[in-house]
Amino acid sequence: TKVRITAEEKQFWGDLSIDSTKVNKTTGGITHLKVDVLPDKISGSLLIADSSGEAVYKLGAEAIKGKEQIIFRTDDPDWIINSNKWNLTDPHFLTWEIGKDDFIASLSLHYEQMEIALAGRTSDTINLNFRKVQISKLLSQSVIPLLPDGIIDAEIHYSDQAKQYLDSNLDVNQ
């Protein structure tokens, strides 16, 4: 295990590397977490590999500060989630309009026929959709052994207009 932390005026870099892991009697490979904090940008990445060195989870993102907004994006439009390469349709997936305190979401993540999408504005309605998402393609059953598998089709709508409300439709099939 290696930890490296560097801090200077208005800057911070951190790295955590673990040579191997063991969760529920499953041996894994390296784990690497990296975070950089600069005055106009924060970036982070996560890699969790199996014992052969193949990525099981690999994703990264950054938040870039502009004058009136903060943009959340990724340099790599392919995220590895449970050893599967999911694709972000647009690397720019979230914007925070600072003066309006409004978040604008535009995340669309795909793997085969599956999709996870988050879209909308907090000043209006945010929609989270799962289309034909197989649970075992997201979460490892070797790490969570009693996790049931199935296909999730779900729509969740959140609105903060006048009063907060949450509307959802969830269907899980074996």
Side-chain angles (χ1 to χ4, degrees):
T1 301
K2 297 177 190 173
V3 177
R4 187 192 70 154
I5 297 174
T6 305
E8 295 177 5
E9 185 177 330
K10 298 183 181 180
Q11 299 180 10
F12 171 87
W13 299 273
D15 281 305
L16 169 65
S17 294
I18 300 171
D19 297 331
S20 64
T21 58
K22 191 165 193 169
V23 178
N24 290 330
K25 300 180 184 176
T26 300
T27 301
I30 64 166
T31 297
H32 186 88
L33 175 65
K34 181 178 179 183
V35 176
D36 295 335
V37 179
L38 305 171
D40 59 347
K41 180 171 125 176
I42 297 173
S43 62
S45 62
L46 172 69
L47 167 66
I48 299 173
D50 64 16
S51 57
S52 71
E54 291 294 317
V56 178
Y57 292 92
K58 181 181 177 191
L59 49 108
E62 60 187 8
I64 302 168
K65 185 177 180 185
K67 186 174 181 178
E68 299 293 324
Q69 63 185 8
I70 297 176
I71 296 172
F72 296 82
R73 61 177 307 280
T74 182
D75 282 336
D76 186 353
D78 294 323
W79 286 354
I80 297 175
I81 301 173
N82 200 18
S83 301
N84 302 300
K85 190 180 286 188
W86 289 69
N87 179 265
L88 282 115
T89 304
D90 184 354
H92 170 178
F93 57 87
L94 183 66
T95 300
W96 177 24
E97 293 183 346
I98 300 168
K100 297 178 184 177
D101 197 24
D102 194 15
F103 286 90
I104 304 163
S106 59
L107 175 79
S108 183
L109 194 58
H110 298 266
Y111 173 69
E112 295 177 344
Q113 78 282 1
M114 294 173 263
E115 179 185 20
I116 300 171
L118 180 68
R121 305 177 76 104
T122 54
S123 61
D124 184 21
T125 303
I126 292 284
N127 302 298
L128 175 61
N129 294 302
F130 291 85
R131 290 187 188 95
K132 300 179 182 175
V133 176
Q134 187 172 352
I135 296 169
S136 63
K137 299 295 182 184
L138 292 176
L139 303 169
S140 172
Q141 291 182 326
S142 63
V143 176
I144 308 171
L146 299 177
L147 181 71
D149 198 8
I151 306 293
I152 299 174
D153 282 300
E155 295 177 12
I156 301 169
H157 310 283
Y158 172 79
S159 179
D160 196 15
Q161 295 178 340
K163 62 179 184 177
Q164 295 180 348
Y165 77 88
L166 184 67
D167 180 35
S168 64
N169 180 16
L170 174 66
D171 186 22
V172 180
N173 297 306
Q174 284 284 28

